[in-house]
């Protein structure tokens, strides 16, 4: 998927993003991010947890963030500006299209967002591709976080090599990737798409990395050490069809499909939600989470 797909999806993605943010909370706890001097959130989307990080990090710690989508960058910046302008009432979930468009982005360009208020709070956000980050120096960061991102990039090896480059010796990386076999959300959507005749097979597999051994070997190959890896499962707050947790690769299919097939899909999806709730079970997503160190 290209950045235009994510640009178009940026505001709808907020509903989904707040769920796997739980993975990032676990990562930050395991990485002890409150001890860091400089942190990078690589592939930050709408910056769901940046408010929390700014409140919990050391005062002089710098937080940098980037995303492939310029609209995601604008959204994250607008949310942080709202919070910083009014910390007591700067909720970051309720951001209107007007607030995004009217945020003080006067010096904004496609590669960097510079703003005095953000700079005063040691926060910088820019558009960037995790596979190549020329904006960042070698050996710059104490912590590199990438939550639900690496599986989406075309060249995963290059992305991890770039993470290794920008980390300081002794710096720590924390990544999360979904496990296809444990992704009830994706399995349910796929089933409904197939039954509605919209697709013949699974259109999207997150990654070939499915086990702890797979990801540990992958990270070891790129020089990381002291690896800790765990499986983690989180629930989604999906209770009715109006919650509309439709991922970008599926939304593109629906946008092009005949109305009768779209209606059939939503009827099937609604029934699947009802069935799950009847079993007193949430929809869930499983991930592989990992932390590791760059050697001294």
């Amino acid at each position: 998927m290209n950045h235009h797909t994510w640009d178009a999806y940026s505001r709808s993605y907020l509903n989904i993003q707040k769920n796997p943010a739980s993975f990032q909370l676990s990562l930050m706890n395991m990485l002890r991010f409150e001890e860091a001097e400089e942190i990078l959130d690589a592939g930050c989307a709408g910056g769901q947890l940046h408010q929390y990080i700014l409140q919990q990090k050391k005062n002089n710690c710098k937080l940098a963030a980037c995303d492939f989508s310029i609209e995601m960058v604008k959204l994250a910046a607008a949310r942080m500006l709202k919070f910083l302008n009014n910390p007591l009432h700067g909720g970051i979930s309720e951001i209107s299209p007007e607030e995004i468009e009217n945020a003080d982005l006067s010096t904004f360009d496609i590669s960097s967002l510079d703003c005095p208020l953000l700079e005063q709070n040691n926060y910088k956000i820019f558009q960037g591709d995790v596979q190549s980050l020329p904006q960042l120096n070698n050996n710059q960061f104490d912590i590199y976080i990438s939550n639900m991102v690496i599986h989406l990039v075309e060249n995963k090896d290059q992305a991890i090599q770039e993470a290794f480059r920008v980390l300081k010796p002794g710096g720590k990386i924390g990544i999360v990737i979904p496990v296809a076999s444990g992704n009830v959300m994706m399995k349910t959507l796929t089933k409904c798409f197939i039954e509605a005749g919209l697709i013949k097979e699974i259109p999207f597999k997150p990654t070939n990395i499915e086990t702890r051994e797979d990801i540990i070997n992958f990270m070891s190959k790129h020089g990381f050490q002291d690896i800790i890896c765990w499986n983690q499962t989180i629930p989604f707050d999906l209770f009715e069809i109006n919650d509309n947790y439709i991922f970008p690769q599926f939304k593109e299919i629906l946008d092009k499909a005949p109305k009768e097939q779209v209606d059939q899909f939503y009827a099937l999806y609604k029934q699947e939600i009802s069935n799950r709730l009847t079993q007193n079970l949430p929809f869930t997503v499983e991930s592989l989470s990992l932390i590791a160190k760059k050697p001294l």
Side-chain angles (χ1 to χ4, degrees), residues 7 39 60 69 75 97 99-100 105 108-109 121 131 167 170 183 189 193 200 209 211 224 229 232 236 241 270 284:
D7 285 348
I39 300 169
N60 62 343
S69 162
L75 174 58
E99 285 176 304
I100 296 170
L105 308 181
F108 181 75
D109 61 44
N121 287 273
Q131 298 168 103
L167 274 172
N183 194 330
L189 283 167
F193 267 77
K200 295 182 180 179
I209 298 173
T211 67
F224 284 99
C229 180
Q232 185 171 346
F236 262 66
I241 196 70
K270 183 176 182 179
T284 55

Side-chain angles (χ1 to χ4, degrees), residues 58 83 102 107 119-120 128 130-131 133 145 148-149 157 159 165 172 175 193 203 219 227 239 264 277 281 294:
K58 293 196 298 187
F83 165 65
N102 294 334
T107 60
E119 290 177 1
Q120 289 164 17
V130 297
Q131 298 168 103
L133 293 167
I145 299 174
M148 292 295 213
V149 175
D157 291 289
R165 178 186 70 81
K172 295 179 287 187
I175 62 174
F193 267 77
M219 297 300 289
I227 297 171
F239 309 120
Q264 184 181 3
L277 296 177
L281 289 171
K294 178 177 176 177

Side-chain angles (χ1 to χ4, degrees), residues 5-290:
T5 300
W6 289 104
D7 285 348
Y9 192 60
S10 59
R11 295 174 196 177
S12 301
Y13 187 65
L14 288 178
N15 282 346
I16 294 176
Q17 187 194 8
K18 65 186 174 69
N19 286 281
S22 300
F23 292 137
Q24 193 169 345
L25 282 169
S26 296
L27 276 182
M28 291 190 296
N29 178 57
M30 292 294 286
L31 291 165
R32 296 184 175 177
F33 78 100
E34 69 278 3
E35 299 175 359
E37 301 293 337
E38 199 155 357
I39 300 169
L40 174 66
D41 185 0
C44 67
Q48 182 70 30
L49 289 179
H50 291 175
Q51 174 182 340
Y52 175 80
I53 295 174
L54 287 187
Q55 290 174 319
Q56 301 297 322
K57 71 177 181 63
K58 293 196 298 187
N59 286 338
N60 62 343
C61 175
K62 297 178 181 178
L63 171 60
C66 68
D67 197 84
F68 190 47
S69 162
I70 195 67
E71 291 301 319
M72 293 286 195
V73 170
K74 289 170 64 177
L75 174 58
R79 292 165 71 182
M80 292 312 302
L81 287 167
K82 181 174 183 177
F83 165 65
L84 293 170
N85 274 306
N86 192 350
L88 295 180
H89 302 285
I92 59 175
S93 294
E94 297 296 328
I95 297 293
S96 68
E98 292 74 24
E99 285 176 304
I100 296 170
E101 295 304 323
N102 294 334
D104 181 14
L105 308 181
S106 57
T107 60
F108 181 75
D109 61 44
I110 63 169
S111 61
S112 176
L113 190 151
D114 296 309
C115 169
L117 183 59
L118 299 182
E119 290 177 1
Q120 289 164 17
N121 287 273
N122 290 319
Y123 179 80
K124 182 178 179 63
I125 188 165
F126 61 95
Q127 184 187 31
D129 182 345
V130 297
Q131 298 168 103
S132 178
L133 293 167
Q135 307 94 329
L136 304 177
N137 298 326
N138 294 346
N139 308 319
Q140 181 174 350
F141 294 95
D142 300 284
I143 290 177
Y144 175 109
I145 299 174
S146 194
N147 185 41
M148 292 295 213
V149 175
I150 299 299
H151 62 288
L152 296 171
V153 304
E154 184 175 350
N155 192 327
K156 298 172 183 58
D157 291 289
Q158 190 171 313
I160 296 302
Q161 289 167 11
E162 194 69 340
F164 192 92
R165 178 186 70 81
V166 302
L167 274 172
K168 296 175 182 176
K172 295 179 287 187
I173 185 172
I175 62 174
V176 179
I177 60 171
V179 176
S181 60
N183 194 330
V184 176
M185 284 283 295
M186 189 67 76
K187 283 183 175 179
T188 301
L189 283 167
T190 299
K191 175 185 175 184
C192 294
F193 267 77
I194 291 173
E195 292 181 0
L198 290 163
I199 58 174
K200 295 182 180 179
E201 58 186 14
I202 297 175
F204 172 74
K205 185 177 180 182
T207 176
N208 291 325
I209 298 173
E210 277 286 304
T211 67
R212 290 179 67 252
E213 183 180 9
D214 289 339
I215 194 169
I216 290 170
N217 289 340
F218 176 67
M219 297 300 289
S220 296
K221 179 180 73 173
H222 291 289
F224 284 99
Q225 299 177 351
D226 299 335
I227 297 171
I228 298 175
C229 180
W230 65 97
N231 287 74
Q232 185 171 346
T233 301
I234 58 167
F236 262 66
D237 61 332
L238 174 55
F239 309 120
E240 58 184 38
I241 196 70
N242 291 334
D243 294 333
N244 199 27
Y245 287 122
I246 307 297
F247 297 86
Q249 62 273 24
F250 287 123
K251 189 174 186 303
E252 288 182 325
I253 297 171
L254 286 174
D255 288 344
K256 298 174 183 176
K259 182 179 184 302
E260 56 270 22
Q261 282 186 299
V262 173
D263 290 344
Q264 184 181 3
F265 160 75
Y266 276 107
L268 291 164
Y269 191 30
K270 183 176 182 179
Q271 186 58 52
E272 288 290 336
I273 294 172
S274 176
N275 292 344
R276 195 78 180 169
L277 296 177
T278 300
Q279 300 173 56
N280 309 111
L281 289 171
F283 285 88
T284 55
V285 171
E286 182 184 358
S287 78
L288 283 167
S289 298
L290 176 144

